[in-house]
């Protein structure tokens, strides 16, 4: 591990703490992104999901007071769109699982959310926030993939737009949080690795791995 700076420095300077002890120390010092930001956004997520599901709930329940939601105009996607969406959905979930397992395995706290190490392996060599990139893919795709069972209406669009905005906010918020958490080490990481632009990240990785020709400087 490289030189530790920022808010985690004092915790790690206490010596060889167990993973659970590190998490407890971070919690005491309020060095927890989940505690600071994720929980607030999760309170927004579930009402949005219910909003998206209202036409289906109205249709299958037969409740009269929800009948207006059952009559909302719907979009029927071609099966090819649904299949392509399902492929991207599965790929995004796989990316989320890989990023979460790396945080748990290499983050120093045995936790999928909290880490005391700036992870720079696997998908983190390409982008800083692979988990959020995955969520930007699979959450908007859910209403499309399941549109045969849950009607895709204006409420689905509201869910997609609002939750996409929330995820983009979390990307920026986590960068600011990590700058306080790790200091200069994370600042260098920000300068080197794009946030969610995986095309730019792959190009950078390709340039980095390409052998230098005589007189060439990276």
């Amino acid at each position: 591990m490289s030189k530790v700076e920022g808010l985690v420095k004092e915790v790690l300077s206490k010596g060889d703490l167990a993973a659970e002890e590190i998490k407890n120390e971070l919690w005491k010092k309020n060095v927890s992104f989940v505690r600071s930001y994720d929980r607030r956004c999760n309170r927004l997520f579930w009402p949005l999901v219910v909003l998206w599901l209202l036409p289906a709930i109205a249709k299958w329940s037969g409740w009269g007071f929800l009948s207006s939601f059952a009559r909302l105009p719907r979009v029927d996607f071609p099966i090819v769109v649904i299949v392509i969406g399902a492929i991207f959905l599965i790929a995004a979930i796989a990316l989320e699982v890989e990023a979460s397992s790396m945080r748990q395995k290499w983050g120093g706290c045995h936790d999928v959310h909290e880490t005391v190490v700036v992870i720079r392996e696997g998908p983190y060599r390409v982008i800083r926030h692979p988990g959020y990139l995955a969520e930007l893919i699979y959450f908007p795709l859910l209403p499309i993939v399941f549109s045969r069972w849950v009607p895709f209406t204006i409420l689905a669009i509201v869910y997609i737009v609002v939750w996409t905005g929330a995820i983009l906010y979390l990307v920026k918020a986590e960068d600011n949080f990590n700058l306080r958490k790790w200091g200069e080490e994370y600042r260098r990481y920000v300068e080197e690795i794009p946030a969610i632009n995986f095309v730019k990240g792959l190009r950078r990785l390709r340039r980095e791995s390409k052998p230098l020709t005589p007189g060439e400087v990276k």
Side-chain angles (χ1 to χ4, degrees), residues 3-167:
K3 181 182 177 182
V4 178
E5 300 173 341
L7 296 174
V8 299
K9 182 177 181 180
E10 184 179 342
V11 173
L12 298 185
S13 67
K14 294 187 176 183
D16 295 329
L17 299 177
E20 195 62 34
E21 292 174 318
I22 293 174
K23 286 194 290 184
N24 289 337
E25 289 293 327
L26 292 173
W27 187 269
K28 291 175 185 177
K29 294 181 178 298
N30 203 28
V31 187
S32 168
F33 187 76
V34 172
R35 185 179 187 179
S36 300
Y37 296 97
D38 266 9
R39 286 183 174 178
R40 278 181 275 174
C41 282
N42 285 339
R43 295 192 190 103
L44 172 66
F45 174 71
W46 292 112
L48 286 172
V49 170
V50 172
L51 187 70
W52 160 45
L53 295 175
L54 272 177
I57 295 172
K59 177 181 177 181
W60 298 111
S61 69
W63 293 336
F65 67 95
L66 293 178
S67 59
S68 58
F69 294 107
R71 294 193 297 269
L72 287 173
R74 61 179 292 172
V75 177
D76 292 316
F77 295 97
I79 189 65
V80 65
V81 173
I82 295 175
V83 170
I84 293 173
I87 293 171
F88 277 97
L89 178 68
I90 293 170
I93 292 173
L95 175 60
E96 175 88 272
V97 170
E98 173 66 13
S100 296
S101 64
M102 289 198 70
R103 290 195 298 270
Q104 185 170 21
K105 185 176 181 180
W106 302 109
C109 294
H110 299 170
D111 189 282
V112 298
H113 299 291
E114 309 297 353
T115 72
V116 289
V117 178
V118 179
I119 302 172
R120 303 189 62 151
E121 303 299 327
Y124 290 94
R125 293 181 64 195
V126 181
I127 52 177
R128 300 194 303 274
H129 303 287
Y132 284 140
L133 175 62
E135 292 178 12
L136 282 170
I137 296 172
Y138 67 70
F139 278 127
L141 282 176
L142 284 174
I144 297 174
V145 172
F146 291 99
S147 59
R148 295 297 175 97
W149 301 275
V150 181
F152 189 99
T153 69
I154 186 64
L155 300 181
I157 296 174
V158 172
Y159 153 79
I160 291 171
V161 171
V162 175
W163 189 241
T164 298
I167 295 172

